[in-house]
Amino acid sequence: MNTDRLKPMLFSVIKKYNAGMFAKDVVSGIIVAIIALPLSIALALASGVGPQEGIYTAIVAGFIISFLGGSRVQIAGPTAAFATIVAGIVAKNGMDGLVIATIIAGILLVVMGFLRLGSLIKFIPYTITTGFTAGIALTILIGQIKDFLGLTYPKGTATIETIDKIKAIVKNIGSINTEALIVGIVSLIILIVWPYIFDAIPGSLIAVIVGILMVKFMNMDVNTIGDLYKISSKLPVPHVPHMTFSTIKSVFSDGVTIAILAAIESLLSCVVADGMINSHHRSNMELIAQGFGNIGSALFGGIPATGAIARTAANIKNGGRTPIAGMIHSIVLVLVLVVLMPYAALIPMPTIAAILFIVAYNMCQWRTFSHLCKTAPKSDITVLVLTFVLTVVFDLVVAIEIGMIVACVLFMKRMSDESEIKGWKYYDPDDDPDGIELKKVPKHVRVYEITGPMFFGDADQLAEVRVKDFTKVLVIRMRGVPALDVTAMHSMEQLYDKCVKYNIKLVFSHVNEQPMNTMRKCGFVEKVGEENFREHIDDALEWAEQFGNEK
């Protein structure tokens, strides 16, 4: 199967589709919709929007991404990764700002797909994705402590930034609502224990039902979704926000972050799914689908969406094997929105907080985080911890930007340490027992061997090349150089000028394809002379030997 084709997977699998496959997709789609319902509501509330926005996202983005996607089984919708970003955008720029940022992200994703950049996502270091994922998990957990404990904040309390939330919790910890805490604890216990009892029905749905019954029939003084948010069972309608240059400029960086995060999470989910069903996704088509899905979600009142690993795994587990399962999941959610959405007003906020606690725990990857801290190189640990801290203290935009910069700098430092320019040592065959196996180097020839990529991080090493008064030929052996950049090329030209100044012939041995192309393009090969580029070191030494007789 061609994994690079820009063709939706649905169009490929539909050719061999049959009634048996449809039956499995229907069952799986219904079950995934039941799982997605409480999660979509909880994640929407964590994102600072209303519960229906979460359902809109799962309906619109979920349908479009399944229809156009490059995976057989991907289920898309709102995910925890976007919660803190969305909440920040809504607090600063309102819903219109969020819509514009999501549309920007969607456009970027579509462009990335058509430019076939799906494979470039692998260049995001694992330490960065692990660091910001753990950071997001912690910010979600901190953000839900207020509702879990039933705290009351004075009017005007700032709770946008995570640090502000921590300060508000500490300052108002005395306002704990015992009844809210009881509901939260009971809900949390159900979420933890239920999967071991009866895994066929999601624990989140049971927790929601039990929470509603506790508050309703025990007359508990606990905030519900209906107390804090306006509930609507209306179907999503298109809404185009008023766009201004200043608004686009202010949310553009958020749009870029959403696009990068959506690409990473969706393609990661596809890779996990591939391993579960022994298939191969089309990464570039998936990016295009994610782009159109996010644009559709934004225009119909939703929030950013991406592939959800947990819901995708549930789809596979319940027999879904084609994108039709994801489309059915969206259709079922439409029926839920119209018929059952008013009952969402009864869901207690501590239950929502408990659901998000479990979401945060599942996404934090604390075992992976701990393992990396124990076993990874110090440079990788630095990137991991720095990304984690910046995500919590500032936001994901800052964390990814600085994390990538630090990772690139440390990578270049590591590559620079691996690169070296070493001069050959001269041995007297009579003194060296292994001398018969050594290359015969004439006295007037000096040989240096370069190992590793030559780039701006270590180009200055060429300045360390030294010659003797009697040196007439300098041989540079480059069999270990896979790549050469412009800065290193400039240093090479300076070395050539130095050789010309001291009347020394410069000869190259075994120059690989990329360095040779770079040298040709800038005219260096012509300047040095095509005849002075030899294929093998023996050939280079033989060529250099003839210049020893020149006066």
Side-chain angles (χ1 to χ4, degrees):
M1 181 183 295
N2 184 356
T3 59
D4 196 39
R5 296 175 69 190
L6 294 183
K7 178 181 179 180
M9 190 64 75
L10 175 65
F11 297 176
S12 295
V13 301
I14 203 70
K15 298 174 183 177
K16 299 180 181 179
Y17 202 64
N18 56 49
M21 296 171 70
F22 179 70
K24 291 181 179 179
D25 284 340
V26 169
V27 171
S28 181
I30 293 172
I31 293 173
V32 172
I34 294 171
I35 295 171
L37 175 63
L39 282 177
S40 297
I41 293 174
L43 292 169
L45 298 182
S47 301
V49 298
Q52 63 271 6
E53 275 82 355
I55 305 295
Y56 292 167
T57 306
I59 291 171
V60 179
F63 189 91
I64 293 174
I65 292 171
S66 289
F67 183 79
L68 294 176
S71 169
R72 289 175 175 269
V73 291
Q74 179 90 286
I75 301 294
T79 61
F82 291 121
T84 53
I85 303 174
V86 172
I89 297 172
V90 172
K92 294 174 184 176
N93 300 289
M95 276 302 295
D96 278 0
L98 174 62
V99 171
I100 294 170
T102 308
I103 290 174
I104 290 171
I107 293 171
L108 290 174
L109 284 165
V110 172
V111 172
M112 288 166 65
F114 278 114
L115 292 178
R116 301 179 186 273
L117 300 180
S119 61
L120 294 183
I121 300 302
K122 66 185 178 184
F123 291 108
I124 304 292
Y126 183 57
T127 47
I128 288 183
T129 58
T130 303
F132 73 61
T133 301
I136 291 169
L138 182 57
T139 57
I140 290 173
L141 187 147
I142 292 170
Q144 297 307 308
I145 291 176
K146 174 183 180 292
D147 289 329
F148 190 81
L149 299 179
L151 301 180
T152 303
Y153 293 169
K155 190 175 181 179
T157 302
T159 55
I160 297 176
E161 304 294 337
T162 303
I163 299 301
D164 293 334
K165 291 176 183 177
I166 295 174
K167 290 179 181 177
I169 292 168
V170 173
K171 190 174 181 180
N172 299 282
I173 194 68
S175 63
I176 290 179
N177 181 340
T178 306
E179 293 181 347
L181 180 59
I182 291 172
V183 173
I185 291 174
V186 171
S187 300
L188 193 59
I189 291 172
I190 291 172
L191 290 164
I192 295 171
V193 175
W194 185 260
Y196 297 100
I197 299 174
F198 192 64
D199 194 30
I201 300 176
S204 55
L205 186 62
I206 302 301
V208 164
I209 294 171
V210 171
I212 291 174
L213 294 176
M214 286 179 68
V215 173
K216 188 74 174 175
F217 293 103
M218 297 176 67
N219 294 318
M220 302 180 81
D221 181 23
V222 177
N223 279 334
T224 64
I225 292 178
D227 295 330
L228 304 179
Y229 299 92
K230 183 180 178 181
I231 301 295
S232 173
S233 59
K234 295 180 180 179
L235 292 173
V237 294
H239 166 68
V240 180
H242 176 64
M243 296 189 186
T244 63
F245 179 76
S246 60
T247 306
I248 294 174
K249 184 179 178 181
S250 65
V251 300
F252 188 82
S253 63
D254 294 314
V256 173
T257 303
I258 292 172
I260 294 173
L261 193 55
I264 294 171
E265 191 164 359
S266 63
L267 294 183
L268 177 61
S269 178
C270 285
V271 170
V272 173
D274 285 349
M276 296 177 71
I277 63 173
N278 192 26
S279 180
H280 296 284
H281 70 281
R282 298 166 182 166
S283 58
N284 296 308
M285 192 64 235
E286 183 65 24
L287 290 180
I288 293 172
Q290 293 289 333
F292 283 118
N294 274 280
I295 292 172
S297 177
L299 293 177
F300 281 87
I303 59 178
T306 186
I309 295 176
R311 275 159 272 177
T312 299
N315 180 35
I316 296 170
K317 181 180 177 182
N318 289 284
R321 287 297 180 273
T322 78
I324 289 176
M327 295 160 65
I328 290 172
H329 134 270
S330 296
I331 294 170
V332 172
L333 286 175
V334 171
L335 300 176
V336 170
L337 175 67
V338 174
V339 178
L340 300 178
M341 197 60 186
Y343 296 100
L346 303 175
I347 302 175
M349 293 305 295
T351 300
I352 294 294
I355 291 173
L356 289 169
F357 280 172
I358 297 299
V359 170
Y361 175 80
N362 288 334
M363 75 178 293
C364 74
Q365 303 180 70
W366 67 268
R367 290 184 180 85
T368 301
F369 195 101
S370 175
H371 178 72
L372 288 174
C373 287
K374 293 176 182 176
T375 61
K378 290 182 180 179
S379 58
D380 288 333
I381 296 174
T382 300
V383 174
L384 173 70
V385 175
L386 181 64
T387 307
F388 171 75
V389 172
L390 290 174
T391 302
V392 175
V393 176
F394 295 99
D395 58 44
L396 193 59
V397 178
V398 174
I400 290 179
E401 289 174 350
I402 296 181
M404 282 299 295
I405 291 171
V406 173
C408 289
V409 170
L410 291 174
F411 173 76
M412 289 185 290
K413 172 67 168 59
R414 193 180 302 166
M415 289 298 99
S416 179
D417 290 343
E418 292 298 318
S419 300
E420 64 174 352
I421 299 177
K422 186 188 296 183
W424 279 16
K425 294 181 179 179
Y426 293 87
Y427 297 93
D428 188 330
D430 296 330
D431 297 333
D432 184 6
D434 298 321
I436 193 170
E437 298 177 2
L438 300 176
K439 302 292 183 185
K440 180 182 178 183
V441 180
K443 184 178 180 181
H444 67 278
V445 178
R446 185 76 170 162
V447 181
Y448 275 86
E449 182 158 0
I450 305 177
T451 306
M454 294 298 294
F455 67 108
F456 60 87
D458 56 9
D460 61 340
Q461 290 192 46
L462 284 170
E464 301 300 316
V465 173
R466 295 286 182 266
V467 293
K468 304 291 184 179
D469 294 337
F470 50 81
T471 301
K472 293 184 179 181
V473 182
L474 177 62
V475 176
I476 304 294
R477 193 183 195 190
M478 294 181 63
R479 62 174 180 171
V481 181
L484 182 75
D485 77 352
V486 174
T487 306
M489 189 65 253
H490 178 65
S491 297
M492 199 73 78
E493 289 174 332
Q494 289 179 321
L495 176 64
Y496 173 75
D497 293 339
K498 180 180 176 182
C499 289
V500 170
K501 180 179 178 180
Y502 292 102
N503 197 28
I504 296 173
K505 179 73 69 175
L506 186 59
V507 177
F508 290 91
S509 162
H510 197 148
V511 181
N512 291 308
E513 184 178 359
Q514 191 279 339
M516 194 66 177
N517 290 337
T518 301
M519 290 178 172
R520 285 190 188 281
K521 193 172 182 179
C522 69
F524 186 72
V525 173
E526 184 179 353
K527 184 188 295 186
V528 175
E530 186 87 38
E531 69 280 4
N532 291 316
F533 286 82
R534 318 304 289 192
E535 291 187 3
H536 192 271
I537 186 62
D538 291 336
D539 186 20
L541 292 175
E542 185 179 337
W543 175 256
E545 187 173 10
Q546 65 178 303
F547 298 104
N549 300 321
E550 297 180 1
K551 300 274 184 155

